[in-house]
Amino acid sequence: MTLYEDISKIVGEDRVSRHELDLLCYSRDLAPMPDELLRGYGMLRPKLVAKPNTIDEVKEIMKYAYLKNIPVTLRGGATFGLGGVLPMDGGLVLDLCGMRRILEFNPEDEYVRVQTGCEWKRVIDYVEARGYTIGANPSSGPSSTIGGFISTGGSGGIGTIRHGPVGDQIVGMKVVLANGELIETDPWSSWMFVGSEGTLGIILEVTLKIFKLGKRSYLMYGFDKLDDAIRALERLCELRPYFLSLIDKNLITLLNKKGHHLPEKETVFVVDGDEAKVTEICGKGIKYREGLAREEWENRYKTILSIKGLGPTIFPPELQVPIKRFYDTILDLRGLIKNLEYGIEAMVNSDGMVSVLPTILTDERKKSEYFRVCSLTRRISNIAYKNGGCVYGIGVYNTPHMSRIHGKSLKVMRRIKKGLDPKNILNPGKTIHYKIPGIFMNLSMIAMEIIPTIMVFSLELVNYVPLRLLRLGLRFVGGKMK
Amino acid sequence: MNKQELVENIYTCASCGYCRFGCPVFSEIGFERFTARGRMLIFKRILEGKFPYTEDVFRSIYMCSQCANCEEICPTGINFIEIIDALKIDLAREGKLPESQKAMREIVREKSNPFGEAREERGAWLPKDYQVKESEALYFVGCAASYSLNRTSRSVMKILEKVKFDFTTLGNLEYCCGEPLFRMGEIGLGNELVEKNSLEFERLGVKTIFASCPGCLKNLKHKYPPEFRVLHTVQLFSELIKEGRVEFGKELNQRVIYHDGCDIGRHVGIYEEPREILQSIPGVELLEFDYNREEAICCGGPLVSQDPGIAKKIASRRVEEAVEKGADVIVTTCPTCFVNFKDGAKLVEGKVDIQEISQLLLKLLKK
């Protein structure tokens, strides 16, 4: 019996695909990584994509995969962009988006129980229509899934400043482990799976806290000077509004090219904050009319991506820094990318941390330019570390930063992984089970950065040297290239 | 859309996957090759010469109901429908239509309707003594309401006679509006029908055309000469109700849910008039789907010619939601939605009636 036949038996033939076009689509996420680089990173072609619809089906699939040592890569909306959903060891891709039902809405005990393939927008629309709202949620709500956001940490996003990271809102979960065993978690044990990027178990059902939705205020202020805006932002933090962000002047310029109508200033955006206090704190800024702010809120999922066509490629790294060092971070970033077209958005999270999202315009068709922009990852990460922060998420591309992000927990994480997934079949090649040692990835990025600078007609070299370095790295850990 | 625009659009795709949110095909088939972002990725590979342009790709292109939900939600503003249209035109030009489409093209070409009905029977639903006449207002009946769904056309006729609204139809002289041909990429053949119909419009001195079929409406608006004012019958009815020319004789003590069809909604932008009509009916409690108006989810009807099983399943989801909401009736303005909902409802346990708006209206008018 082939893998196709066996899995078809479990989920039904119409929910498996080995179609060439699907295998292509399921080998990609939101980041337009050049094929050569993905091969360099050691990604293999998946054998099959399956779309289970029930927990029992997932259990059966995992029992089978565990027995036969088949690598299983989990996939939600594929919007994280760090390669976390790429089938690094080939094998089976589990697309969990078919499981997107809202199972229970309980206003008395204030929770909602959902299948984790459900998109955030669907859950938010549902509870908001019934007078409630949700805590932390991602700015890519129409595609990002409940399971995806939880698995990638859920600490930067909308609602986090008031309600904390997504882990704080989990009442319980149902998780299928690598061997097909189903476990249920409480708030405390749920935390172990938050940010595990699908390497410890498959989160299939989540009970999330909900909160009463009152009348919200939408306030936007424009500042001439960046430091005034940031000083206001620091003080606004204490009010713990539902949403607090900074849109820098450069981003406003780009947004206005795409149909927004915002004054070109450093802009502070507050949703559901005490209006009198906000007005007092933002004394140095100009208040925009509420309708404008409301419109921006309603378009919140679209804002950043609306400038994409100007690239037409965008390079969007994400870092988290303490708010005290936010100003320095922006100055450092502006210094690094001043010759490029870019805009910066930043969202304030809980615990005084800020998610900084520089969006750099580029064109993937101009290879050497694009490689160079991609290589900025290294320097941008260094800016984060210099300012007491770190890059957000690991996936494949941020594995060189593992030890800096996790520090002493790394050893514990390895033990947990070994205990829960001894055969390393769940999301292999990610986080702690990287395929290429960080040093080789860094070297390859340095090569991508330097070669286009010193040689004009270096397309061949740009392709060759970084890949050679990655290949060396792959050999180093005994991975196979295909 | 020219080649350059096509390429820019394809590279503009952010692969963010928002397009999957309201995509009827994704919700049923669920594999990425049938989503807008999947197609854009595939097209990119084809442009870069890394992937062949094969029949599998054609199938992905045609397995789309062109409901434009993806365009509505796309943050980067890609014109997915125009891209699909442009590619279909190329495929049609090169003779690479899928077999189901080829068969439909031949039927439309020969019979001037997609059902294979006789052309001389087109006006058979009209009274025996009916005479086509010169008039400023024309009711464009369309293929569905001329043949299988002529209860709609008869209802429109009776309502308008009741309020003494003067108009004509083309009777047997009407041709298919061309929508099925434009949809498959056969624009040359589609334009032939546009010309034939336009000639008749001019001969009768028509200034305003109203259609009960949203597919015809979309086509009349976007593909016909702009000198004709084009309306949907709901716009006409809503105007007549506002003028106080329509009197209801009965109450409809039911919970009614209105389904925004994609052609009348996202493609033409008519959202409020049908709701105004329903709200003016005594006794009606109007419900809404969770996703309505610009965000409404397609019924899957246009996919019937590709895969009737999938189309039916897609419709059943919408019917299911109506049942959950406690609706007694789903009201639609579109023959495609009407038929597909009827099929889809068979897969759903709860009971809900499906009604086309003109037929419902006629039943409630004062005798």
Side-chain angles (χ1 to χ4, degrees), chain B residues 59-99:
Chain B
R59 187 171 134 73
S60 163
I61 293 172
Y62 278 89
M63 200 61 196
C64 164
S65 71
Q66 295 194 265
C67 74
N69 200 311
C70 49
E71 270 192 26
E72 189 62 38
I73 202 164
C74 176
T76 63
I78 296 176
N79 301 316
F80 295 111
I81 304 297
E82 272 186 55
I83 294 177
I84 296 276
D85 274 341
L87 294 172
K88 282 181 174 177
I89 291 168
D90 278 350
L91 289 174
R93 197 184 296 131
E94 290 162 24
K96 289 177 177 164
L97 288 186
E99 288 309 314

Side-chain angles (χ1 to χ4, degrees), chain A residues 22 35 51 125 143 301-302, chain B residues 16 18 30 33 45 72 291:
Chain A
D22 277 330
D35 293 354
K51 288 201 64 144
D125 288 346
S143 55
Y301 298 135
K302 293 188 176 181
Chain B
C16 66
Y18 288 13
R33 72 178 194 273
R45 290 306 124 123
E72 189 62 38
Y291 294 103

